[in-house]
Amino acid sequence: MEYCQDIEQLLQEGRNLNIKPQGYSMYPVLVPGRDEAFIEPLNGRKLKRGDVVLYRRDKESESGSILVLHRIWKVKPEGIYLVGDNQKEIEGPLRPDQMKGIMAAMMRKEKYIPVTEPMYRVLTGIWLWMRPVRPFVSKTVAFVKRKIITGKR
């Protein structure tokens, strides 16, 4: 919990951070244990659909409220709606004060990829649009990898 408070404090001080996301909620865009997310303070930035934000979840878990990195599904007057890249369910509305930082870039296999890169925007836009069918797509891709590429049964 103290680590999360340090992250928030650093962002409030205007510092940029590199974090290694844990868990699979942002898979396949961010792979835990391999990829890094470069997070910047919001600095009054207007959030929009497709942005990846670091936010504090109000819901209490075993370890208390947690910081989560998810993609914006929609911004409405009543709040911000978010979804993980490996999830179908939308969370929200969330308050703007829950948003702590925004992903500016990622590092994958030693390659720096800014979120402004056209291919990143196209691929993540398509993936966001495919939200209702993502579980089927993910299972199909895993099946193809297992059966065809690796030859495992």
Side-chain angles (χ1 to χ4, degrees):
M1 187 68 139
E2 199 171 299
Y3 178 69
C4 291
Q5 290 170 337
D6 290 343
I7 288 173
E8 283 183 71
Q9 181 66 38
L10 290 169
L11 288 168
Q12 286 173 355
E13 292 170 1
R15 308 262 309 268
N16 296 340
L17 305 171
N18 300 354
I19 61 172
K20 287 196 174 219
Q22 300 174 359
Y24 282 88
S25 70
M26 287 301 289
Y27 183 86
V29 175
L30 292 169
V31 177
R34 181 187 74 188
D35 299 340
E36 244 181 290
F38 294 83
I39 309 296
E40 294 180 346
L42 291 173
N43 294 331
R45 190 177 315 192
K46 183 175 178 167
L47 299 173
K48 64 187 180 312
R49 178 180 171 90
D51 287 341
V52 176
V53 292
L54 184 69
Y55 70 100
R56 175 148 313 271
R57 189 176 273 165
D58 276 344
K59 296 178 184 172
E60 294 297 321
S61 66
E62 291 177 11
S63 59
S65 66
I66 58 172
L67 286 172
V68 180
L69 194 64
H70 277 172
R71 191 172 303 280
I72 294 178
W73 171 252
K74 199 173 280 188
V75 178
K76 289 187 157 190
E78 69 269 15
I80 300 166
Y81 294 82
L82 303 169
V83 64
D85 284 346
N86 194 28
Q87 298 174 327
K88 195 172 102 174
E89 298 300 317
I90 296 170
E91 183 176 357
L94 296 161
R95 301 179 316 276
D97 68 292
Q98 288 178 264
M99 307 302 129
K100 306 301 177 183
I102 187 166
M103 188 171 91
M106 60 181 280
M107 183 75 78
R108 169 170 281 176
K109 296 181 181 176
E110 299 183 26
K111 182 179 179 197
Y112 181 83
I113 304 167
V115 298
T116 55
E117 183 174 290
M119 188 57 75
Y120 171 88
R121 300 298 290 181
V122 168
L123 292 175
T124 58
I126 291 169
W127 192 243
L128 188 58
W129 177 78
M130 291 177 56
R131 182 193 58 81
V133 296
R134 282 193 274 199
F136 173 76
V137 172
S138 294
K139 287 177 185 173
T140 302
V141 169
F143 175 80
V144 168
K145 278 183 174 179
R146 197 170 51 251
K147 296 288 184 177
I148 296 172
I149 298 172
T150 63
K152 293 182 181 178
R153 302 206 187 275

